[in-house]
Amino acid sequence: MNIFQQLFKSLYSPKDIASTRFQGIGKTILYVFLLTLVSVIPTVSYVSSAINNGIETAAHTVDKELPDFSIENGELSADQEEPIYIEDADFTIIFDSTGEVSETDLEGYQNAFALLQNEFVLIAGGTLDTYDYSTLTDLTITKDSILEVIHSVDGLLAVIIPVLALTIYIFSSGIKFIEITILALFGLFIKNVTSRNLPYRQLWRLSAYSVTLPTIFFTIMEAFQTNVPNGFLINWFVSIIMLYLTVREIPQKAKK
């Protein structure tokens, strides 16, 4: 049975999972990497799309919706009479060289970026961070220079996105191996309760295939951007049940 057949049958067949306890550890590790690869596809896709859209939106906003400006000697200068608010569904950009908007006026925003008279403010998840222009000593920033930076980043996306995708994959693989290792520890209790003669190395192999069903389920939910309440508990509950049913498929150790 090849690795893709194992992936499919591990979704529903504890009996087929039980048969993997004798296979080489290398194939099991390869399976974990494959399973992780499948699970990160929606995340990588959405992150890549968000970065591309973010760069395009930033370039359009700076070029078309903001006046010519410069940041020099710790102060934002522009030809405007009132603050500019550019609001999207989840993000707001505020531009104010008049001094009317202060840091306290931004406390109600969840996600925003503000260029104020003497500082720029970044708000992410309701957390507000401020940075004074005075820290930009001997540096002049203009609208054109910001556009150049945005276009430079856009040109590097062919490198940035694969590196980011690889980072997500490596991190997710590490988490998956830890999850399997912990599940195999639960397996030690299960094999004692069910009177099965299974060393830890075999339990680890069985655990690697037992996490298939919840992993694929949450991958599908992620693809549809559907939030699953108590997902952490559901993931572990289904994994433990699958491992329990798998262990039950293994013949009991002979009684003396």
Side-chain angles (χ1 to χ4, degrees):
M1 188 163 51
N2 65 45
I3 197 169
F4 296 102
Q5 290 174 320
Q6 287 180 323
L7 177 61
F8 177 71
K9 291 191 174 182
S10 295
L11 292 171
Y12 65 89
S13 176
K15 183 176 181 179
D16 285 295
I17 295 176
S19 67
T20 65
R21 67 189 186 278
F22 297 119
Q23 75 176 20
I25 189 63
K27 186 175 182 179
T28 305
I29 291 174
L30 179 63
Y31 179 83
V32 176
F33 280 121
L34 173 65
L35 185 63
T36 305
L37 179 62
V38 172
S39 70
V40 300
I41 288 175
T43 301
V44 170
S45 176
Y46 285 125
V47 169
S48 301
S49 178
I51 292 174
N52 278 301
N53 292 337
I55 293 294
E56 291 177 5
T57 302
H60 178 270
T61 299
V62 173
D63 187 29
K64 303 297 183 182
E65 302 189 43
L66 297 184
D68 290 333
F69 64 87
S70 66
I71 300 174
E72 191 173 7
N73 298 322
E75 186 174 339
L76 172 65
S77 301
D79 184 15
Q80 69 174 141
E81 296 180 356
E82 60 183 18
I84 297 173
Y85 293 84
I86 303 169
E87 297 186 357
D88 199 353
D90 300 314
F91 199 81
T92 301
I93 297 175
I94 300 135
F95 184 89
D96 177 38
S97 64
T98 66
E100 292 184 22
V101 180
S102 65
E103 181 182 333
T104 56
D105 296 325
L106 305 175
E107 292 179 353
Y109 290 91
Q110 284 296 310
N111 299 287
F113 177 76
L115 284 170
L116 305 183
Q117 189 175 42
N118 301 111
E119 61 192 356
F120 68 87
V121 181
L122 179 64
I123 306 172
T127 302
L128 187 147
D129 295 302
T130 62
Y131 306 89
D132 290 334
Y133 300 138
S134 57
T135 59
L136 305 173
T137 56
D138 301 325
L139 182 63
T140 300
I141 298 176
T142 65
K143 177 178 178 177
D144 289 337
S145 65
I146 289 181
L147 282 172
E148 288 178 7
V149 171
I150 292 174
H151 291 315
S152 297
V153 173
D154 187 34
L156 291 173
L157 287 183
V159 175
I160 294 173
I161 290 178
V163 170
L164 183 60
L166 181 61
T167 302
I168 293 173
Y169 176 60
I170 292 173
F171 178 78
S172 300
S173 296
I175 295 297
K176 185 61 67 178
F177 276 101
I178 293 172
E179 177 187 346
I180 291 167
T181 300
I182 295 174
L183 182 61
L185 293 175
F186 280 102
L188 293 173
F189 173 75
I190 293 173
K191 68 111 174 181
N192 288 331
V193 170
T194 57
S195 300
R196 262 62 176 184
N197 186 21
L198 289 168
Y200 181 80
R201 64 181 181 275
Q202 291 186 4
L203 286 169
W204 197 94
R205 294 179 175 91
L206 297 178
S207 298
Y209 291 92
S210 296
V211 300
T212 302
L213 177 59
T215 298
I216 297 300
F217 170 76
F218 283 105
T219 299
I220 294 171
M221 293 299 101
E222 178 71 18
F224 288 102
Q225 293 186 303
T226 303
N227 182 47
V228 180
N230 301 313
F232 178 81
L233 295 178
I234 293 173
N235 176 69
W236 279 102
F237 176 77
V238 175
S239 296
I240 291 171
I241 292 299
M242 285 296 292
L243 181 59
Y244 174 77
L245 295 175
T246 298
V247 171
R248 287 286 302 271
E249 291 292 331
I250 296 169
Q252 283 184 305
K253 58 185 179 183
K255 295 182 179 180
K256 293 183 180 180

